[in-house]
Amino acid sequence: MKKTLLATAIIGALSATAAAQAATVYDQDGTKLDIYGRIGLGIEGGGSQYSDKTYTDADGNTQAQRINRSGDFVNVGSRLGLRMSQAITSDMTAFGRLEWRFKANSKEDAGNGFDELRQSYLGIQSQQYGTFQAGNFDSFYLQFVSSPFDVYINNGLQFAGNGKQSRGDSIGYYTPDLEGFTAFLQLKNYSERGYVEDPNAPLFDGQERTSEKGNVIAPQGGVRYENGPVTVGLGFVEDVRRGGGNGEMMYGLIGQYQFTDQFSARLGYENRQNNNDQGYKDSMGVNDENGYNTVGLGATYTTGPWAFTGDFYNINRDDGKDNSKAWSLGGYYKVSSAMDVFVEVNDNDAKAGSGSDNSTRRQVDNLTDDAYWLTGVRYFF
């Protein structure tokens, strides 16, 4: 399994990679402090031919804005973090984590330094009783369900990711390993504390008025099974509107099988129920999704310092929205234990060919019209 762990690090399991490169600043009497991070630089190009904005032309027709898709230097997930822990008993450990993002590609983009607090949480971990944590962290749905598909540095994941009803004002618990099974539950709070309750009072800059629903809690939970080469996760998320969802339940069933030390394959299904409320439909933007069904299939192959990934998704959308295909390809080379180079190509919204011109060439054109590419280098410390 050592080769498997190495391959995971190569293809972008960022927490594992950062942990492997972390420098221990202090480790004494059960108290430990690690510092870690990475600098990532790259060049990107391609992508969607249009922005998400529309306008009305001289003839009264709605048109999308065509945008420039030329290459540009970009930051690729640069960050700096701290991991802290202190043993309470032989079984129980208190822990905390802080992680900031910064833009490394240019002085102008960097601003005053760090531009995002990516992780900030603390908790208690016990091998016997499980782990409880609170704060700002990646969604448990990603960590326990969709993680087999989270192998790309940018864009490639089409299932729900790290920010799904998470990232702040959250608490979570997951059990210890119970003969391969791990159950998890997370709650995200959306508070209206400080909002104006008086419906007749004027609103000043920065103020919001309370809603009929008041405070909202978005739960997510499920179970993951890991045994030898098999990993299967089953989970749900109440995808509340305040967190960017459509107010309906989302479910996912995603698994991976490690056929050999070098080759693994993954298969997943995710469904979000359709919100049939007309008021919600009227409020949707041109690019907003309502209900959908997504099926994904992918694989990873590693050989020596090389790793290659490929994934394909079929996305069926409700409410007459266009169905689409999505695909991603990636190649990664481990230059040293601390540095890798990579190239990724994907199209997150490739339309299926139809009509009289359904030739192979046309199908290929449809799948590559909005292809996005990213290549670069990362250094871990």
Side-chain angles (χ1 to χ4, degrees):
M1 296 299 292
K2 291 183 179 178
K3 292 181 180 178
T4 302
L5 292 175
L6 176 59
T8 304
I10 293 173
I11 62 176
L14 304 180
S15 60
T17 305
Q21 298 297 332
T24 299
V25 178
Y26 182 87
D27 188 359
Q28 188 174 345
D29 300 327
T31 300
K32 187 176 182 180
L33 173 63
D34 291 338
I35 184 170
Y36 68 92
R38 73 170 183 254
I39 299 173
L41 297 171
I43 302 174
E44 69 175 0
S48 176
Q49 301 178 54
Y50 302 95
S51 74
D52 58 357
K53 308 297 183 182
T54 60
Y55 67 95
T56 302
D57 63 18
D59 297 324
N61 300 316
T62 300
Q63 302 288 349
Q65 293 177 321
R66 187 179 292 273
I67 58 176
N68 184 289
R69 304 190 300 156
S70 60
D72 190 18
F73 285 95
V74 292
N75 174 67
V76 185
S78 300
R79 63 197 63 184
L80 177 67
L82 300 172
R83 287 192 180 90
M84 303 148 277
S85 65
Q86 184 177 53
I88 301 173
T89 68
S90 59
D91 175 63
M92 189 171 292
T93 301
F95 65 88
R97 183 178 176 186
L98 282 170
E99 185 177 291
W100 301 269
R101 281 185 173 177
F102 60 92
K103 293 182 179 179
N105 57 302
S106 73
K107 178 181 178 180
E108 290 76 14
D109 289 341
N112 294 322
F114 298 114
D115 64 341
E116 179 186 353
L117 181 62
R118 187 174 184 272
Q119 309 270 4
S120 54
Y121 60 90
L122 48 78
I124 300 289
Q125 184 175 46
S126 167
Q127 298 299 320
Q128 182 177 1
Y129 299 109
T131 299
F132 173 84
Q133 64 188 57
N136 167 30
F137 50 87
D138 289 344
S139 75
F140 279 7
Y141 181 89
L142 169 72
Q143 297 183 49
F144 293 99
V145 181
S146 61
S147 59
F149 281 83
D150 188 26
V151 296
Y152 294 94
I153 296 171
N154 196 30
N155 281 344
L157 179 65
Q158 294 299 308
F159 294 125
N162 53 34
K164 176 57 71 174
Q165 302 297 344
S166 190
R167 288 297 179 83
D169 301 325
S170 298
I171 59 174
Y173 168 80
Y174 56 91
T175 67
D177 187 305
L178 304 172
E179 297 186 358
F181 289 94
T182 302
F184 65 93
L185 177 66
Q186 177 184 337
L187 303 175
K188 161 80 171 180
N189 181 52
Y190 295 93
S191 174
E192 291 189 351
R193 177 179 171 83
Y195 286 19
V196 177
E197 291 185 331
D198 186 348
N200 299 314
L203 295 179
F204 298 96
D205 289 345
Q207 289 187 321
E208 295 185 55
R209 204 178 303 279
T210 56
S211 65
E212 293 182 2
K213 289 189 175 182
N215 296 344
V216 172
I217 293 178
Q220 58 183 278
V223 62
R224 180 186 66 190
Y225 177 73
E226 286 186 312
N227 185 15
V230 177
T231 300
V232 179
L234 174 65
F236 74 89
V237 179
E238 185 174 343
D239 208 4
V240 301
R241 292 178 61 179
R242 284 191 204 174
N246 70 339
E248 300 294 333
M249 295 297 296
M250 187 194 79
Y251 304 94
L253 176 62
I254 297 172
Q256 176 174 271
Y257 190 86
Q258 191 78 37
F259 288 92
T260 68
D261 285 342
Q262 294 179 291
F263 179 76
S264 64
R266 46 191 172 269
L267 177 66
Y269 171 76
E270 189 173 275
N271 166 266
R272 187 171 72 179
Q273 296 174 344
N274 200 53
N275 187 336
N276 293 312
D277 179 70
Q278 190 59 46
Y280 169 73
K281 292 183 178 181
D282 292 340
S283 70
M284 291 175 61
V286 64
N287 291 315
D288 289 342
E289 287 186 333
N290 198 344
Y292 63 80
N293 290 279
T294 299
V295 176
L297 175 66
T300 296
Y301 176 76
T302 64
T303 176
W306 289 95
F308 303 95
T309 60
D311 291 88
F312 184 82
Y313 296 85
N314 186 69
I315 306 168
N316 291 318
R317 299 180 177 90
D318 295 329
D319 279 346
K321 294 280 186 176
D322 288 339
N323 299 328
S324 63
K325 317 293 181 184
W327 57 268
S328 298
L329 296 172
Y332 313 84
Y333 181 78
K334 201 75 173 174
V335 178
S336 70
S337 61
M339 178 177 283
D340 66 11
V341 294
F342 61 87
V343 60
E344 293 182 346
V345 184
N346 62 65
D347 191 332
N348 290 340
D349 193 23
K351 301 296 186 293
S354 60
S356 59
D357 184 7
N358 201 25
S359 64
T360 301
R361 180 175 180 178
R362 182 57 186 160
Q363 291 284 358
V364 171
D365 287 344
N366 284 331
L367 289 172
T368 58
D369 278 347
D370 293 333
Y372 164 88
W373 56 267
L374 172 69
T375 184
V377 58
R378 300 181 298 171
Y379 184 90
F380 298 86
F381 58 92

